[in-house]
Amino acid sequence: MMTSIEESPLYSIANPKSLAFFGASNNLTAMGTNLLLSVQALGFEGPIYPVHPKSDTVLGLKAFQSIDDVPIIPDLAVIVLPTAIVNNTLEACGKRGLRNAIVVSGGFKEGGEEGRLRELELTDIIQRYGICLLGPNCLGVTNPHQRLNTTFIPYEGPPGFIGLASQSGSLITQLFEHLFMMGWGFSTAFSVGNEAVVDVVDCMEYLAVCPHTRVIGLYIEGIRRGARFIETARRIVPHKPIVALYVGGSEAGRRAGFSHTGAMAGSDRLYEGLFRQSGIIRARSVTELFDFCGVLGSQPLPRGARVLIQTHSGGPGAAAADACGRAGLEVPLLSPEALEALAPFVPNTGSVQNPVDLTFTKNPLDFYSKIPQVLAGDRNTDTLLVYFMTPSQVVARGMRWMGVPEDQIAKEGAKMMDDQCRSFMEAVQPSGKPLVGFTFRGHHEPSIQGLTRRGVPVFPGPERAARSVAAMVQYAEFRKKWTAPQACKDA
Amino acid sequence: MMTSIEESPLYSIANPKSLAFFGASNNLTAMGTNLLLSVQALGFEGPIYPVHPKSDTVLGLKAFQSIDDVPIIPDLAVIVLPTAIVNNTLEACGKRGLRNAIVVSGGFKEGGEEGRLRELELTDIIQRYGICLLGPNCLGVTNPHQRLNTTFIPYEGPPGFIGLASQSGSLITQLFEHLFMMGWGFSTAFSVGNEAVVDVVDCMEYLAVCPHTRVIGLYIEGIRRGARFIETARRIVPHKPIVALYVGGSEAGRRAGFSHTGAMAGSDRLYEGLFRQSGIIRARSVTELFDFCGVLGSQPLPRGARVLIQTHSGGPGAAAADACGRAGLEVPLLSPEALEALAPFVPNTGSVQNPVDLTFTKNPLDFYSKIPQVLAGDRNTDTLLVYFMTPSQVVARGMRWMGVPEDQIAKEGAKMMDDQCRSFMEAVQPSGKPLVGFTFRGHHEPSIQGLTRRGVPVFPGPERAARSVAAMVQYAEFRKKWTAPQACKDA
């Protein structure tokens, strides 16, 4: 097993110091142009050498007629050319001495007999030159920690902790904003495409030792190396959680996968067993894939399945309790000590059963400090699940009432909400227990952003929150089982 | 069965011409003050008479020391007073001749033996005076078509088509923005609280004849009048769909419900049977409750379970196919005629299997006009499910490229996306088939707003979309079965 990413054959694909770029032009309708714009938008710091048969410059960069004209041997070639000229270009790169390439172009194994033969030719070339290849028919790589993003959409938000190996490039590039809204981001994401060389297993091995990656996500339409996949996962899971989404289980999903990347899918039950054997948490949807990654990468592991729900509204509390029950979690009563400590803060309309429903409290500040402190400290609790709901218009109403000048209301309100979020975090963190929120407000709300920015996942609705907590519990159990000391020999 | 809302005992609660308001003051920490501010914020057009023992004015309105001083008999009293003085106030209202009241205050049946006795006294008063009462322990009513909203949070967005009877007031007022983001809104929503008089069944009867209500949603912690509930639902369902969420099925949900509104919950299986007998679509979460209402109220009914998926990205397409399969929908191949009509618009990297994956097309406009027109017209299709993803930053990139001045990019981009949305609608609407979208972008995107504003639900992720389509299919089957003509007597 590798001990650092520098040992990985994928190192220069994810961390190139220089790029050769084929297929970008000054024409925005070309796919390659868009990808190079994404590279530039994230501020890639190394030199970029566009190769173009006619233009002297491409997107403001000096262009070269052929790879032979490029003054150095770039670390990585990104190829976004018409299918027919990809193999020749790859061969030219090999001759020039390049040893890493991403082929974005499609029209290979996924595209009939002609494509299959073309992919055979491609694998022959890369074997001859010893090229490490990502693709073909992929979107390349996103490594925001290195300011690298070869995908279609510019990267949004700060670098993150989710490592992804995906048989869909769209589910990298088109998820940037989705992750950003939840307070998450990619550490490094690989779009593996047809997996002519680099496959999901290689990416798992890289991500296992990537220091920015706290959790590994997999989007799978079909696995080629089953035994190696299981073996690799079993080595990783005791140290880093793996979450996988498999979409080939239904007939329609299987057909879609084949026409997409030529993947041969197996039955749902086969993959269910494969994931279970491997200690992999299974997600049932794209949303769950990233939800599970988000909580596993941001929260401490719960010691058990007991969830305490904090709310100021009965309906959302009951819905959360119901969602926890359906997700297989426990919603136990509070300990006598917690009940006693809580008593001063609960109005007579409230409830100290679980959910703890504070209703309309006289001092809303308690909701953000003393109450969560007591609840997180409760010995009957493994995870705190909290309903958050502070519409900025209601805050503005209060500010206006207190005489805050109209032009300062937005700023003062945002500051107040930010203080509350910080206070909440400070109240819970000493417990070392996971904190997960839910809301029905939008993520644009300052009261929600103040939490997501501090690493607290706030889900739209309790169901996604509950299922994510259940995923953490499942991983904690895997980990306990797999890292348990062997039966003591002296006994 | 009633034929118009005017015949309903709830008419003046949902459509009062004047209000007496108890418990609002000039102090924002009082619950009542917040509710009156919500009433004012929506621009209630009738006279409002705050009753306050000391203040001459309340929130800028002339106040009255007692209900006897109010110059007219208001249509509706809203009471948000301390528990101990609610019953006396209600009695005073009765004496004065008021016949409709909302009691927001809690501390009745849901609050122990003392509360139970207090609620008995309350029912005695309302029976003596013939008062129609909503509550106690509720948030009242939201009827944006009449500019009435007695709940905590100001109403957001235009009046809508979802009628709701809810045993949680929070799940009305705290969902305003959630619905608005999806392009939906309430027609009239009732928070029934402890149901001392008006219960969920009464609200269903009202909403059945409410002309603004296209679909009825129910949030249920426990039903009191089971037989009447089934009978009422069975009368409504052939004409208007009903969707229900029951949260008492798990032990934790049951406990939460009891401490919330004193509801006696039954087993999950009991309610499953009850909903099935009644022809009610069952939602499993708050999100599903409103998703199902949203599609049923905005889309024509599908004739069957066959879904055609349009995408320009393989992964989201495969995930959508998988989600449809899991939701029990069919994802059939296209008809030969549709395949032929589609051929000119599909690039060689694309796929015309279902999902129809257009990939990176040369003419993106086809995605919004000719392609959906062909797909919606396909005889193998009952519903069109479309993946939408146009990040405004990518549009801006294109605009900048075309030389659009920087200060016009946002406006021109928004206009272009709006045109595309209109074009899409015009292409699909003649088919009379449902159109449902999904995306991983936020709802703030102009390309998404252009659709939601036109009544197309665009879900975050394919799973919610697929389950919502399945709910439409289920309702269409109920309706076909229940409105089928009896076996022909002449045969």
Side-chain angles (χ1 to χ4, degrees):
Chain A
M1 198 172 176
M2 291 183 291
T3 54
S4 81
I5 50 173
E6 283 82 359
E7 299 168 40
S8 167
L10 290 183
Y11 180 72
S12 286
I13 287 178
N15 306 270
K17 305 286 175 289
S18 50
L19 293 181
F21 214 99
F22 298 82
S25 66
N26 294 316
N27 180 352
L28 194 65
T29 63
M31 177 81 164
T33 308
N34 285 276
L35 301 202
L36 182 50
L37 283 167
S38 293
V39 171
Q40 291 180 313
L42 196 54
F44 179 72
E45 288 169 342
I48 303 170
Y49 303 98
V51 178
H52 193 279
K54 290 179 216 139
S55 302
D56 290 338
T57 62
V58 165
L59 303 182
L61 298 166
K62 177 173 162 52
F64 300 83
Q65 275 207 315
S66 93
I67 187 67
D68 293 327
D69 301 331
V70 173
I72 65 159
I73 300 174
D75 269 2
L76 174 65
V78 180
I79 300 173
V80 205
L81 293 167
T83 311
I85 57 170
V86 168
N87 284 351
N88 285 351
T89 304
L90 205 51
E91 175 119 39
C93 286
K95 278 190 188 145
R96 178 79 175 94
L98 276 84
R99 292 298 170 257
N100 301 285
I102 294 172
V103 172
V104 174
S105 318
F108 290 84
K109 189 173 59 183
E110 83 286 5
E113 180 59 13
E114 194 187 348
R116 199 182 63 80
L117 293 174
R118 194 177 285 122
E119 185 151 329
L120 283 179
E121 194 185 58
L122 173 140
T123 39
D124 180 57
I125 295 166
I126 52 186
Q127 277 167 5
R128 254 189 293 129
Y129 292 100
I131 294 172
C132 185
L133 181 96
L134 192 62
N137 186 26
C138 76
L139 279 179
V141 67
T142 297
N143 177 0
H145 293 279
Q146 294 294 326
R147 298 182 171 279
L148 177 68
N149 171 32
T150 70
T151 72
F152 192 79
I153 298 176
Y155 189 77
E156 291 159 277
F161 56 76
I162 298 174
L164 187 74
S166 176
Q167 288 175 344
S168 158
S170 304
L171 292 183
I172 296 174
T173 196
Q174 295 171 21
L175 270 294
F176 291 156
E177 191 197 29
H178 177 84
L179 298 188
F180 181 34
M181 287 190 294
M182 292 298 296
W184 308 326
F186 287 117
S187 51
T188 294
F190 296 99
S191 163
V192 294
N194 291 3
E195 302 182 312
V197 182
V198 172
D199 70 357
V200 164
V201 176
D202 296 312
C203 298
M204 287 161 69
E205 288 175 341
Y206 176 94
L207 296 168
V209 291
C210 167
H212 298 296
T213 298
R214 284 190 236 145
V215 55
I216 299 172
L218 307 174
Y219 169 80
I220 290 169
E221 294 181 352
I223 288 170
R224 273 99 173 160
R225 297 191 284 164
R228 183 66 189 270
F229 177 87
I230 295 174
E231 181 203 324
T232 305
R234 290 180 69 100
R235 265 188 290 125
I236 296 172
V237 165
H239 313 286
K240 229 176 237 193
I242 304 178
V243 182
L245 170 64
Y246 171 62
V247 297
S250 66
E251 201 270 330
R254 188 151 51 238
R255 200 173 58 224
F258 185 75
S259 73
H260 181 213
T261 55
M264 293 303 295
S267 78
D268 199 72
R269 193 175 294 180
L270 179 82
Y271 276 81
E272 181 73 30
L274 193 143
F275 293 147
R276 198 179 296 272
Q277 279 178 66
S278 312
I280 289 175
I281 310 296
R282 184 170 186 188
R284 300 283 173 178
S285 67
V286 176
T287 312
E288 277 194 2
L289 172 62
F290 292 105
D291 285 355
F292 294 179
C293 285
V295 291
L296 281 162
S298 67
Q299 298 303 304
L301 281 183
R303 282 172 310 179
R306 300 168 304 171
V307 177
L308 206 159
I309 299 162
Q310 174 180 344
T311 179
H312 46 59
S313 298
D322 186 60
C324 286
R326 287 183 200 282
L329 300 167
E330 297 163 35
V331 185
L333 295 175
L334 276 69
S335 69
E337 304 81 43
L339 283 175
E340 195 185 327
L342 205 57
F345 310 112
V346 181
N348 66 349
T349 51
S351 165
V352 290
Q353 310 239 33
N354 189 3
V356 173
D357 180 0
L358 285 318
T359 67
F360 190 77
T361 45
K362 290 287 177 211
N363 186 356
L365 289 183
D366 291 339
F367 191 91
Y368 294 93
S369 55
K370 292 177 186 142
I371 293 165
Q373 190 178 8
V374 171
L375 298 183
D378 178 22
R379 63 179 161 83
N380 284 359
T381 302
D382 300 313
T383 295
L384 193 54
L385 174 59
V386 184
Y387 178 56
F388 291 106
M389 192 281 307
T390 312
S392 38
Q393 55 170 325
V394 170
V395 173
R397 184 161 86 186
M399 293 272 165
R400 202 165 285 127
W401 202 262
M402 292 187 297
V404 176
E406 199 64 33
D407 62 345
Q408 290 174 36
I409 282 178
K411 195 182 139 215
E412 288 296 314
K415 187 183 170 307
M416 189 194 84
M417 286 183 269
D418 199 61
D419 285 347
Q420 288 178 348
C421 295
R422 200 190 50 243
S423 160
F424 205 105
M425 293 293 296
E426 288 170 0
V428 174
Q429 259 169 350
S431 73
K433 293 176 186 175
L435 167 61
V436 173
F438 73 100
T439 188
F440 294 110
R441 303 293 305 178
H443 274 93
H444 57 94
E445 285 284 10
S447 60
I448 305 301
Q449 287 192 353
L451 292 159
T452 53
R453 214 172 33 234
R454 289 181 170 84
V456 181
V458 183
F459 293 94
E463 296 73 27
R464 283 172 57 185
R467 288 203 297 267
S468 300
V469 172
M472 284 199 288
V473 172
Q474 194 189 342
Y475 177 64
E477 281 166 9
F478 268 133
R479 184 147 158 164
K480 200 188 290 175
K481 201 168 69 187
W482 289 17
T483 56
Q486 299 300 312
C488 181
K489 286 178 184 167
D490 297 339
Chain B
M1 199 173 175
M2 290 183 290
T3 55
S4 80
I5 51 173
E6 284 83 358
E7 298 167 39
S8 166
L10 291 182
Y11 180 73
S12 287
I13 286 178
N15 306 269
K17 305 287 175 287
S18 51
L19 293 181
F21 214 100
F22 299 81
S25 67
N26 295 317
N27 180 353
L28 194 65
T29 63
M31 176 81 163
T33 307
N34 285 276
L35 301 202
L36 182 50
L37 283 167
S38 293
V39 172
Q40 291 181 313
L42 196 54
F44 179 73
E45 289 169 340
I48 304 170
Y49 303 98
V51 177
H52 193 280
K54 289 178 217 140
S55 303
D56 290 338
T57 62
V58 166
L59 303 181
L61 298 165
K62 177 174 162 52
F64 300 83
Q65 274 208 315
S66 92
I67 187 67
D68 293 326
D69 300 332
V70 173
I72 65 160
I73 300 174
D75 269 3
L76 174 67
V78 181
I79 300 172
V80 204
L81 294 166
T83 312
I85 58 170
V86 168
N87 284 350
N88 285 350
T89 304
L90 205 52
E91 175 120 37
C93 286
K95 277 192 187 143
R96 177 78 174 95
L98 276 82
R99 292 298 170 258
N100 301 284
I102 295 171
V103 172
V104 174
S105 318
F108 290 84
K109 189 172 60 182
E110 82 285 6
E113 179 60 13
E114 195 188 348
R116 199 183 63 80
L117 293 173
R118 194 178 286 121
E119 186 151 328
L120 282 178
E121 193 185 59
L122 172 141
T123 40
D124 179 58
I125 295 167
I126 54 186
Q127 277 167 6
R128 254 189 292 127
Y129 293 100
I131 293 172
C132 185
L133 180 95
L134 192 63
N137 186 26
C138 75
L139 279 179
V141 67
T142 298
N143 177 0
H145 293 280
Q146 294 294 325
R147 298 182 170 279
L148 177 68
N149 171 33
T150 70
T151 72
F152 191 78
I153 299 176
Y155 189 78
E156 290 158 278
F161 56 77
I162 299 174
L164 187 74
S166 176
Q167 288 175 343
S168 158
S170 304
L171 292 183
I172 297 174
T173 196
Q174 295 171 20
L175 270 293
F176 291 156
E177 191 197 30
H178 177 84
L179 298 188
F180 181 35
M181 286 191 293
M182 291 297 296
W184 308 326
F186 287 118
S187 52
T188 294
F190 296 100
S191 162
V192 296
N194 291 3
E195 301 183 312
V197 182
V198 171
D199 71 358
V200 163
V201 176
D202 296 312
C203 298
M204 287 161 69
E205 288 176 340
Y206 176 94
L207 296 169
V209 292
C210 167
H212 297 296
T213 299
R214 285 190 236 145
V215 55
I216 299 171
L218 307 174
Y219 169 81
I220 291 169
E221 295 181 351
I223 288 170
R224 273 95 175 164
R225 297 190 285 163
R228 184 65 189 267
F229 176 86
I230 296 174
E231 181 202 324
T232 305
R234 289 181 69 99
R235 265 188 290 124
I236 295 172
V237 164
H239 313 285
K240 229 175 237 193
I242 304 177
V243 183
L245 170 65
Y246 172 62
V247 297
S250 66
E251 201 271 329
R254 189 152 48 240
R255 198 173 59 224
F258 185 76
S259 73
H260 181 212
T261 55
M264 293 304 294
S267 78
D268 198 72
R269 192 175 294 182
L270 179 82
Y271 276 81
E272 181 73 29
L274 193 142
F275 292 148
R276 196 179 295 273
Q277 279 179 67
S278 312
I280 289 175
I281 309 296
R282 184 169 186 190
R284 299 282 173 179
S285 67
V286 176
T287 312
E288 277 194 1
L289 172 63
F290 292 105
D291 284 356
F292 293 179
C293 285
V295 290
L296 281 162
S298 67
Q299 298 302 305
L301 281 183
R303 281 172 312 178
R306 300 169 304 171
V307 177
L308 206 160
I309 299 162
Q310 175 181 343
T311 179
H312 46 59
S313 298
D322 186 61
C324 285
R326 287 183 199 283
L329 300 167
E330 298 164 33
V331 186
L333 295 174
L334 276 70
S335 69
E337 303 82 41
L339 283 176
E340 195 185 328
L342 205 57
F345 310 114
V346 181
N348 66 349
T349 51
S351 166
V352 290
Q353 311 238 35
N354 188 4
V356 173
D357 180 359
L358 284 319
T359 66
F360 189 75
T361 46
K362 290 287 177 209
N363 185 356
L365 288 183
D366 291 340
F367 192 92
Y368 293 93
S369 55
K370 292 177 189 143
I371 293 165
Q373 190 178 9
V374 170
L375 298 183
D378 178 22
R379 63 179 160 83
N380 284 359
T381 302
D382 299 314
T383 294
L384 192 56
L385 174 59
V386 184
Y387 177 56
F388 291 106
M389 191 281 307
T390 312
S392 39
Q393 56 170 326
V394 171
V395 173
R397 185 160 85 185
M399 294 271 165
R400 201 164 286 127
W401 202 263
M402 293 188 296
V404 177
E406 199 62 34
D407 62 344
Q408 289 174 36
I409 282 178
K411 195 181 140 214
E412 288 297 314
K415 187 183 171 308
M416 190 194 84
M417 286 183 269
D418 200 61
D419 285 347
Q420 289 179 348
C421 295
R422 200 191 50 242
S423 161
F424 205 106
M425 294 293 295
E426 287 170 1
V428 173
Q429 259 170 350
S431 72
K433 293 176 185 174
L435 167 62
V436 173
F438 73 100
T439 188
F440 295 109
R441 303 292 306 177
H443 274 93
H444 58 93
E445 285 283 10
S447 61
I448 305 302
Q449 287 191 353
L451 292 159
T452 52
R453 214 172 35 234
R454 288 181 172 85
V456 182
V458 183
F459 294 94
E463 296 72 30
R464 282 172 58 185
R467 287 202 297 268
S468 299
V469 172
M472 283 199 287
V473 172
Q474 193 189 344
Y475 176 64
E477 280 167 9
F478 268 135
R479 184 145 156 165
K480 200 188 288 175
K481 201 169 69 187
W482 288 18
T483 56
Q486 298 301 311
C488 180
K489 286 178 185 168
D490 296 339

